[in-house]
Amino acid sequence: MRDRNRRSWLRGAPPPGWVRVLPAAMLAGVCAATLASPDPLDIGFLLGAIPPLAVLSYGPLATAVLGALVLVVLNVPAFRLNDPGSTDLLTVGFVAALSVIVSFVRSRRDAQLVTERAVAEAAQRAVVPPLPERVAAVRCAGLYRAAQSGTLVGGDFFDVREGPCGVRAVMGDVQGHGLSAVATVASLLGAFREAVLDRPDPESVAARLDRRLVVDSAAVRHSELFATAVVLEFGVGATAVRIVACGQPGPVLLRDGRAVALDVPVGTPLGLGLADASPPAGVTVPLRAGDRLFLASDGVWEARDASGAFYPLLDRITGFAGDLPELVERIWADLVRYAPALQDDVTMLVLAPAVPESR
C-alpha cells in the first residue's frame, strides 16, 4: 500500500536513481550511436537537453561539468554530429550556462526547504509526540494521518498519560483540520497533560478541556471554536475503565472475537461553556484480560466508498488479527482501499490492559 504522507520526488524527496543517471546515459548513448552508425546522424540536438536534465538532480558544479562535456562532444570530429556551426554551439553554451545558474538557485532553495521542513517536523512532534507502546498497566497503539498533505498534525489529537489517579487517555477532533487547527490541538493537549496531574476524575478533566477552549475563544469575536473528545481513565491494574464522551461516540470494545460499540452517554462538545450547566457524565466498564478498546475519529466512521456507503468498521474490525500496532495498520490499509479519496484527518487509538509482568 502506498502511504499518502510519504514524500514523493515532486514533494521534496531526493530524485530517483534513473533521473540522476539520465544525463550521463543520454550523453553516452548519443556518442555510441554516432560511432556505431556508418553515416552521420543528425541527433546533436539531443545534447542540448542534457544540462537542463542535470538541473533536476545535480548541483551547479556537476551541471557545469556535464555542460562542458556536451560542448566538447559537439566539437569532436569523430562524432560527426551534423558539423554544428557557431550558432549551434552558442545556443548550447547559453543553455548550459543558464542551467548552471538554475541549478545554483535550486540547490539553495532545496537546502532552505530541508531546514524549514526539519524545524516544522520538530515543532509538530513536540505538539504530538510519538505514542509509547505501554503506559503503566495500559498497552497503546495509535495511528494518525493528517488530511493536509505534508503535515504531521491536523485537527485530530490523542495522548495517553500516567498520573496520580491512574492512566488517562484522550482522543478528540477540533473544529476544522490542517495547520489552522494545530494551535487548538496544542492548547487542548497542554490542558489535558496538566489535568492528568491534579484533576480527581475524567469528568473534571473534560471540564478543564472545556474551560480551556472557552478561554481561548473569549477574545475572538463571533468565535465558534469547539471540539469533540473522549476521555478515559484506567483504574489500578487496568481492570476497569471510566469513559466520558463529549460530543463524540465512545470506544468499541473488542472481546472474544466480537466488536461492540459501548453505550456511553454523549455529552455536549468542548468549548461551549456548558460544563457547569450540563456536566459530562461517565460510565465505568469492567475489563478482562485480552480486551481491547478501539477509538476512531470521524475520518474513519464517516469514510465513504464510491457509492457513498459508510465504512463498515464494526463488521470488518473483527477480521483483523495481530497485536495492537498491526491492528491499526491493517485497518488503515483496508480503509484506504475502501475509500481512496479520504478528505478528513484519520485517527485511531487502541488501548488494552497489559499482561502483568512475571517476577
Side-chain angles (χ1 to χ4, degrees):
M1 182 196 64
R2 181 179 180 271
D3 191 340
R4 293 189 311 150
N5 283 339
R6 182 174 60 85
R7 285 191 301 157
S8 66
W9 171 36
L10 299 179
R11 293 181 179 178
W18 66 267
V19 175
R20 298 182 61 85
V21 173
L22 186 59
M26 182 178 291
L27 181 61
V30 170
C31 294
T34 55
L35 291 177
S37 175
D39 299 317
L41 297 177
D42 189 13
I43 59 174
F45 67 94
L46 294 176
L47 297 179
I50 291 178
L53 286 175
V55 171
L56 297 175
S57 53
Y58 291 103
L61 179 59
T63 303
V65 171
L66 286 169
L69 289 175
V70 168
L71 294 176
V72 170
V73 169
L74 285 173
N75 283 281
V76 173
F79 293 122
R80 298 171 300 168
L81 289 170
N82 199 30
D83 297 325
S86 59
T87 301
D88 299 308
L89 289 174
L90 287 175
T91 301
V92 174
F94 175 76
V95 171
L98 186 61
S99 298
V100 172
I101 296 174
V102 173
S103 178
F104 174 77
V105 174
R106 182 196 60 78
S107 299
R108 295 293 297 271
R109 286 175 60 89
D110 284 353
Q112 181 66 24
L113 288 174
V114 168
T115 300
E116 292 178 356
R117 183 177 180 86
V119 172
E121 289 185 355
Q124 293 180 81
R125 292 192 185 280
V127 174
V128 183
L131 193 66
E133 295 181 358
R134 176 170 174 164
V135 178
V138 178
R139 294 188 298 127
C140 319
L143 181 142
Y144 184 69
R145 296 292 185 270
Q148 185 169 338
S149 177
T151 62
L152 303 177
V153 182
D156 291 355
F157 61 94
F158 58 74
D159 200 4
V160 182
R161 298 276 167 160
E162 182 181 13
C165 299
V167 176
R168 289 170 173 172
V170 64
M171 195 192 80
D173 183 3
V174 306
Q175 177 193 21
H177 56 76
L179 293 177
S180 61
V182 173
T184 305
V185 168
S187 180
L188 281 172
L189 286 176
F192 171 75
R193 291 160 187 167
E194 286 294 325
V196 165
L197 301 177
D198 56 22
R199 305 313 297 171
D201 49 55
E203 288 86 351
S204 60
V205 172
R208 173 71 64 86
L209 300 181
D210 177 75
R211 188 182 70 177
R212 177 72 270 167
L213 283 184
V214 170
V215 171
D216 288 348
S217 60
V220 181
R221 189 176 182 182
H222 304 304
S223 173
E224 297 180 354
L225 185 62
F226 68 91
T228 60
V230 178
V231 180
L232 303 93
E233 178 181 276
F234 292 86
V236 177
T239 58
V241 60
R242 187 159 183 81
I243 306 168
V244 177
C246 301
Q248 184 169 314
V252 174
L253 176 63
L254 304 176
R255 173 182 290 174
D256 299 331
R258 299 174 57 233
V260 179
L262 294 177
D263 186 13
V264 179
V266 179
T268 57
L270 305 173
L272 302 181
L274 301 176
D276 294 332
S278 179
V283 297
T284 300
V285 178
L287 297 177
R288 306 174 189 170
D291 286 353
R292 292 175 290 179
L293 293 171
F294 181 86
L295 298 95
S297 65
D298 292 343
V300 177
W301 291 105
E302 298 179 2
R304 299 170 182 256
D305 63 5
S307 67
F310 288 109
Y311 179 65
L313 175 63
L314 292 178
D315 295 334
R316 297 198 180 210
I317 192 171
T318 54
F320 301 114
D323 203 7
L324 272 58
E326 289 80 11
L327 175 63
V328 294
E329 289 293 344
R330 289 174 181 175
I331 295 175
W332 165 247
D334 185 61
L335 181 67
V336 171
R337 286 192 296 266
Y338 185 87
L342 289 170
Q343 299 295 325
D344 199 0
D345 298 328
V346 171
T347 307
M348 290 178 266
L349 178 63
V350 186
L351 306 169
V355 177
E357 297 180 357
S358 58
R359 296 183 179 179

